[in-house]
Amino acid sequence: MITINQYIKLLEKYLKQHKQINTVLTSNEADFAAYYKIVYPVAHIDYVTQRISGDNISHQFEIIIGDLFDPNVPASEFEIYSDCNLIADDLLTYFENQVNVDYEISPDTSIQKFTDANGDRVAGAVFVITFNQFRASDNCITPIDDNLSVAKPVMYYGAVNGVPTSLSGLTSTQATEATLDTGLGNPFVIALDDLYSLELVNDTSASNLDLTALYVRNGTLTAKDNTVYNLYYYEQAVPYSTSHKHKIRVR
């Protein structure tokens, strides 16, 4: 993934090579306004924002291209606007046509004119360039132990057709309490993360009948992230004629 600093270096490298730019600065706008050792024309880079949308991440940079103008010369300001707009288009065209890179730029941007009379009389163009790249949202690359930032399911549960060989099709939860709606199915299973134990199972549809001892350990199942779940299996001797609710509590 390309970092903000790497994008800044790409922008600086291009602008420093441009034949019509004499000074390239990277800072916030306040520092830029206070800087006095400028040989015009100047290009200024300021990081604006980052936006994450699904598997896309975008970084926006504000670019100012400016040059001195003489207010006593008619239309000189518009000459500067024109020249700076061409430089802005040069930069956008350059990055738009790069190949075998890990980014693409947004094709739409608005180039605005500006005039600044604070200190030097400067006019030019200001615009935002947006770099888009693929976002690898893989928790395995985060610098933490055991990837604790992603909560794993505490348990899986549901009605099944025999002893399951995988967790597929079962309902999962990160809570320590859950309710298994039996429907008219039979048997039923609860798969608990190895860090937890089964504390209580009540049939709330049958006067809170305690079913805990009837859910018997029956091997283990392994999730895709290699978490081991202990399987508890219960088969009703006579299938239910109406759906029941098994209230599960673990600790």
Side-chain angles (χ1 to χ4, degrees):
M1 182 178 292
I2 304 174
T3 66
I4 296 170
N5 285 334
Q6 288 172 327
Y7 278 125
I8 289 174
K9 290 185 183 300
L10 289 174
L11 290 166
E12 287 178 337
K13 181 179 179 180
Y14 172 79
L15 290 167
K16 286 177 180 178
Q17 292 177 342
H18 198 286
K19 302 299 184 182
Q20 293 173 270
I21 298 293
N22 290 325
T23 303
V24 177
L25 297 172
T26 300
S27 67
N28 58 48
E29 287 193 23
D31 289 342
F32 178 44
Y35 196 81
Y36 63 93
K37 295 180 180 180
I38 295 177
V39 179
Y40 291 93
V42 62
H44 178 256
I45 304 165
D46 187 11
Y47 181 66
V48 179
T49 189
Q50 169 183 287
R51 183 173 184 272
I52 295 175
S53 178
D55 60 2
N56 181 75
I57 182 170
S58 61
H59 293 283
Q60 293 187 319
F61 297 84
E62 181 188 74
I63 310 296
I64 296 175
I65 310 294
D67 199 1
L68 294 172
F69 73 96
D70 186 347
N72 297 313
V73 177
S76 64
E77 191 174 342
F78 291 96
E79 289 291 334
I80 299 298
Y81 293 152
S82 178
D83 291 344
C84 291
N85 268 268
L86 290 174
I87 296 172
D89 186 64
D90 288 344
L91 183 145
L92 293 168
T93 301
Y94 172 81
F95 283 103
E96 190 174 25
N97 286 281
Q98 295 304 292
V99 296
N100 298 322
V101 293
D102 294 329
Y103 64 81
E104 60 181 26
I105 69 166
S106 296
D108 300 320
T109 191
S110 177
I111 302 175
Q112 305 290 330
K113 69 175 184 177
F114 78 90
T115 303
D116 186 359
N118 292 329
D120 296 331
R121 286 191 173 267
V122 180
V126 57
F127 62 98
V128 171
I129 182 171
T130 302
F131 292 93
N132 298 294
Q133 64 176 304
F134 175 74
R135 173 175 173 257
S137 54
D138 183 357
N139 186 64
C140 294
I141 65 176
T142 59
I144 59 173
D145 294 329
D146 299 325
N147 294 319
L148 296 177
S149 64
V150 175
K152 297 180 292 186
V154 170
M155 71 176 109
Y156 291 80
Y157 57 92
V160 294
N161 295 314
V163 179
T165 57
S166 75
L167 296 167
S168 177
L170 298 177
T171 301
S172 66
T173 180
Q174 296 171 358
T176 55
E177 291 189 3
T179 299
L180 188 161
D181 289 306
T182 66
L184 302 182
N186 193 30
F188 316 104
V189 295
I190 303 168
L192 294 185
D193 185 320
D194 194 43
L195 298 175
Y196 295 85
S197 60
L198 189 62
E199 182 177 7
L200 184 66
V201 182
N202 284 341
D203 187 343
T204 60
S205 304
S207 302
N208 286 323
L209 178 66
D210 189 345
L211 302 176
T212 310
L214 300 180
Y215 273 88
V216 180
R217 281 282 301 272
N218 195 331
T220 60
L221 296 174
T222 303
K224 291 181 179 179
D225 64 357
N226 293 322
T227 301
V228 175
Y229 288 84
N230 294 315
L231 185 66
Y232 293 81
Y233 180 90
Y234 167 53
E235 185 167 3
Q236 178 78 3
V238 178
Y240 293 126
S241 59
T242 60
S243 181
H244 283 231
K245 293 182 181 294
H246 292 182
K247 182 68 176 294
I248 306 164
R249 188 167 73 230
V250 306
R251 61 183 176 186

